[in-house]
Amino acid sequence: MTISNTGTDNHTVQINGDTNPVIFGFTTSPVLDDLQSNKGKAQKIQAADVTLTSTSVPAADVNQGTTNVIVYGVKMAVVTEPVTANNITFTFTGTHDNNDLTTASVYFNATAADLNGASFLNSTSATFAAPHTYSLSINRTIAAGDHGFFIITVTISNTGTDNHTVQINGGTDPVIFGFTTAPNIDDQQTNKGKAQKIQAADVTLTSTSISAGNILQGSSNNIVYAVKMEVVTEPVTANNITFTLSGSHDNNDLTTASVYFNASAPDLNGASFLNSISATFAAPHTYSLSINRTISAGDKGYFVITVCVNATATIDKTVTINGTNDPVIFAFTTAPNVVDNQSNKAGKQTIKAFEPLKTGGINALILNEIYPNPAAASFNYSFSAWEEQKILVQLVDQYGKPLLSEVLNLSPGINNFNMNISYLANGIYYLISSDDAHTISLSKPVVVQH
């Protein structure tokens, strides 16, 4: 006989050979000696006994964009007979809306209510406002005398709403299983799955003071703006920066705009290069650069914007970023709460001609723009000198270790050179130069990016 999947527990089936012997029909008429007796004993239908209990999930804050956040765990203990769970139904409650979650998933772990060593069962889109009920097909067998944990997780949207929650309340909305058979269920689920609260980072932007000043024709990495980013609650990753270069410069005055990051101060000493873009546009012009810089919760850093000036730039033309009228705008991989306190603390930078001193000093030698920067195989650099002189040029790493040294003989005017860096690993290096008397020391960063 075949027992129904929904056969009633403890019901029996039997053939009693004494009271209801088996009767045969024949094609002939044999003489029958019927000695049947009650040797066919009762076969009792046995259902599995299943106990469901909730496992503890503490209340917690979860970042926007976090995957596989555990919101509920239910332990299934099986005795008597094995069972196969073929479906699971659960309801997400809380305050989340249809944009806060992306995916709901179910995992199984034979030993503990966590994802370490768990196997994936199924997932579904979770783009619905709370409360919403989800039903997923699963196929998980638990042997008699064994147990396991079904774990329900969510993935939080990058733009999940700050302080919205997601939860499964096992007391009011317990998880429901479908089975291939009809076990006896002892449902002891309770409200041990506490609310998971979506947490956005809190970001404050402030302008740092950049004094008005002069920038020389042919000079590079002149700082025109710096914005301090302070982060609390959760980390953030800034993936884009947008800024407007204003002033009176035209499309021939600048060559490049660059962005650096410095964790400790609004200058280039120890800063890391993020990206650069051609700046051959008349003011005002808006530039947008991809960057990838993460700041931890409780930390801060400075985004420093620089420009390189064309050697033939027009004298007395200006360049500036006005943080009051056109503040720097960041895009993030998540959706932080941004307090924008930027103001007009960056003075105008005025383009001036290179006028070296005849008797030596800081303007007797200028290390002009390095290009391309970043560089893959080699880069070009030049010196503007007033008189014939001999200088030492060194390329050093971030720790000051010399990697290449060269003595150059300069003539009055602009002296052009090239340096091979194809053998160097990606990173930031520094081109340092000094004269024989060590009265002049010049340095510029070089980014190697193959």
Side-chain angles (χ1 to χ4, degrees):
M1 65 182 176
T2 298
I3 307 299
S4 168
N5 284 341
T6 58
T8 306
D9 192 30
N10 295 323
H11 278 197
T12 60
V13 60
Q14 182 181 10
I15 296 178
N16 189 318
D18 283 334
T19 58
N20 297 101
V22 172
I23 299 172
F24 290 92
F26 298 94
T27 57
T28 57
S29 301
V31 177
L32 296 179
D33 182 8
D34 195 343
L35 301 177
Q36 294 180 69
S37 59
N38 190 23
K39 289 187 176 181
K41 302 304 179 183
Q43 306 301 305
K44 184 171 66 174
I45 298 172
Q46 184 63 63
D49 295 312
V50 174
T51 302
L52 301 177
T53 53
S54 305
T55 60
S56 293
V57 178
D61 292 342
V62 292
N63 297 0
Q64 295 166 325
T66 304
T67 61
N68 283 330
V69 176
I70 296 176
V71 294
Y72 197 77
V74 55
K75 179 180 179 181
M76 181 181 291
V78 179
V79 295
T80 317
E81 300 293 336
V83 294
T84 298
N86 58 13
N87 185 270
I88 185 171
T89 300
F90 52 88
T91 299
F92 282 159
T93 58
T95 61
H96 61 276
D97 59 33
N98 61 346
N99 297 313
D100 292 329
L101 312 179
T102 60
T103 309
S105 302
V106 180
Y107 292 80
F108 180 81
N109 194 328
T111 58
D114 59 48
L115 297 183
N116 186 23
S119 57
F120 171 79
L121 296 182
N122 205 349
S123 64
T124 187
S125 172
T127 54
F128 300 91
H132 187 82
T133 300
Y134 300 84
S135 184
L136 285 79
S137 297
I138 57 175
N139 184 27
R140 194 61 177 79
T141 299
I142 301 180
D146 211 346
H147 67 268
F149 299 85
F150 292 85
I151 304 161
I152 300 170
T153 72
V154 294
T155 295
I156 310 298
S157 169
N158 285 341
T159 57
T161 307
D162 194 26
N163 296 322
H164 277 195
T165 60
V166 58
Q167 180 179 12
I168 293 179
N169 188 320
T172 57
D173 296 289
V175 170
I176 299 171
F177 290 92
F179 298 92
T180 56
T181 54
N184 302 311
I185 306 293
D186 181 10
D187 194 341
Q188 298 180 8
Q189 293 181 70
T190 56
N191 189 23
K192 289 188 175 181
K194 302 304 180 182
Q196 307 300 300
K197 186 171 67 174
I198 299 170
Q199 186 62 65
D202 295 313
V203 174
T204 301
L205 302 176
T206 53
S207 306
T208 58
S209 294
I210 305 295
S211 301
N214 296 331
I215 51 179
L216 300 180
Q217 293 171 321
S219 62
S220 60
N221 285 331
N222 300 283
I223 297 176
V224 294
Y225 196 81
V227 55
K228 180 181 180 182
M229 181 181 291
E230 296 180 274
V231 179
V232 295
T233 316
E234 303 293 339
V236 294
T237 298
N239 58 15
N240 186 271
I241 186 171
T242 300
F243 54 89
T244 298
L245 294 181
S246 56
S248 61
H249 61 276
D250 61 31
N251 61 345
N252 297 314
D253 291 328
L254 306 180
T255 59
T256 308
S258 301
V259 180
Y260 293 80
F261 179 81
N262 194 326
S264 57
D267 58 46
L268 297 184
N269 186 23
S272 57
F273 172 80
L274 296 182
N275 205 350
S276 63
I277 192 170
S278 173
T280 54
F281 299 91
H285 187 83
T286 300
Y287 299 86
S288 183
L289 287 80
S290 296
I291 56 177
N292 184 26
R293 193 61 176 78
T294 299
I295 301 181
S296 301
D299 212 344
K300 67 182 191 308
Y302 299 85
F303 292 84
V304 183
I305 300 172
T306 71
V307 294
C308 295
V309 182
N310 196 323
T312 59
T314 306
I315 305 304
D316 293 332
K317 288 296 180 72
T318 61
V319 57
T320 188
I321 293 179
N322 188 318
T324 300
N325 297 340
D326 297 289
V328 170
I329 299 172
F330 291 91
F332 301 90
T333 56
T334 54
N337 304 311
V338 178
V339 177
D340 195 341
N341 290 331
Q342 292 181 72
S343 56
N344 190 23
K345 289 189 175 182
K348 286 184 179 180
Q349 307 303 307
T350 303
I351 299 171
K352 295 295 181 181
F354 166 64
E355 296 179 356
L357 303 177
K358 295 183 179 181
T359 57
I362 192 168
N363 284 343
L365 180 68
I366 288 182
L367 174 56
N368 299 315
E369 177 184 354
I370 293 174
Y371 67 95
N373 196 4
S378 65
F379 65 84
N380 302 302
Y381 64 101
S382 66
F383 290 96
S384 295
W386 173 261
E387 58 192 358
E388 290 186 359
Q389 57 185 291
K390 184 182 294 183
I391 63 169
L392 174 66
V393 173
Q394 291 184 308
L395 187 68
V396 303
D397 62 18
Q398 295 186 66
Y399 304 100
K401 178 183 177 181
L403 304 175
L404 184 148
S405 296
E406 188 175 6
V407 175
L408 302 178
N409 293 310
L410 303 183
S411 301
I414 296 177
N415 299 258
N416 297 307
F417 301 96
N418 178 272
M419 184 173 289
N420 175 30
I421 43 83
S422 60
Y423 60 94
L424 294 177
N426 287 352
I428 298 177
Y429 301 84
Y430 294 90
L431 187 68
I432 298 174
S433 58
S434 60
D435 62 352
D436 285 341
H438 300 289
T439 58
I440 300 175
S441 181
L442 304 173
S443 175
K444 287 188 183 296
V446 181
V447 179
V448 176
Q449 187 174 302
H450 299 297

